[in-house]
């Protein structure tokens, strides 16, 4: 869908949860803002319902540091592997679609995912693997965008 938005010249659309009650609109807008932070201005439809793990992690960098610090370090040092993880998760865990989005051969994408696992110990084809991998990738992308640190420097030093 993000490709379709980009081809149409559309921008980032962030959507919050449907909520009820006295503060429904305010809370839904907070959800949408959190989704927009994860989207980082990339074209497409970005729903909080799909992005909540990454949105939560962006607000809790120090809490997730022990889990994601070493994985984020791999994303920092190997951006092409991070992009492979992002594409793989964006395109429904389908190697051919993800590879096409990166304009690489499917074997290249498969190799990059294998290398990601070798370096991080995280398998992106399991239940927790994509969440940990994608969250770390987004934390690092956020660091690059803001120039700040989403995960403390202690984890960076221990992952070296």
């Amino acid at each position: 869908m993000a490709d379709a938005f980009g081809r149409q010249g559309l921008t980032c659309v962030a959507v919050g949860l449907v909520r009820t009650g006295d503060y429904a609109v305010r809370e839904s807008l907070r959800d949408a803002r959190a989704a927009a932070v994860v989207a980082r201005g990339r074209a497409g439809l970005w729903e909080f319902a799909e992005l909540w793990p990454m949105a939560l992690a962006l607000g809790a960098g120090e809490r997730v540091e022990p889990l994601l610090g070493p994985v984020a370090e791999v994303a920092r040092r190997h951006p092409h592997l991070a992009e492979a993880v992002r594409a793989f998760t964006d395109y429904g865990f389908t190697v051919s679609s993800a590879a096409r989005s990166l304009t690489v051969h499917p074997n290249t994408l498969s190799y990059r995912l294998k290398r990601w696992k070798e370096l991080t110990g995280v398998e992106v084809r399991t239940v927790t693997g994509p969440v940990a991998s994608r969250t770390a990738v987004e934390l690092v992308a956020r660091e690059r965008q803001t120039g700040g640190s989403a995960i403390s420097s202690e984890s960076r030093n221990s992952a070296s």
Side-chain angles (χ1 to χ4, degrees), residues 88 91-100 105-107 109-110 113 125:
F88 187 65
Y91 287 88
F93 307 97
T94 306
V95 169
S96 60
S97 297
R100 192 170 28 261
H105 192 277
N107 291 345
L109 184 78
S110 293
L113 295 175
R125 292 178 174 95

Side-chain angles (χ1 to χ4, degrees), residues 2-86:
D3 286 345
F5 270 74
R7 284 193 301 273
Q8 300 283 335
L10 300 175
T11 60
C12 174
V13 177
V15 179
L17 297 175
V18 175
R19 295 180 179 266
T20 59
D22 293 340
Y23 302 103
V25 172
R26 182 184 72 188
E27 293 304 311
S28 185
L29 284 172
R30 287 181 67 192
D31 297 340
R33 284 188 196 109
V37 166
V38 174
R40 297 180 344 274
R42 291 177 287 159
L45 178 64
W46 303 92
E47 298 180 55
F48 182 76
E50 296 289 323
L51 301 172
W52 66 266
M54 290 171 272
L56 289 176
L58 285 171
E62 289 186 20
R63 301 285 317 148
V64 297
E65 172 190 342
L67 298 170
L68 302 179
V71 180
E73 187 59 31
V74 173
R76 282 184 203 97
R77 292 184 180 183
H78 305 278
H80 65 292
L81 300 181
E83 284 302 315
V85 168
R86 177 181 283 147

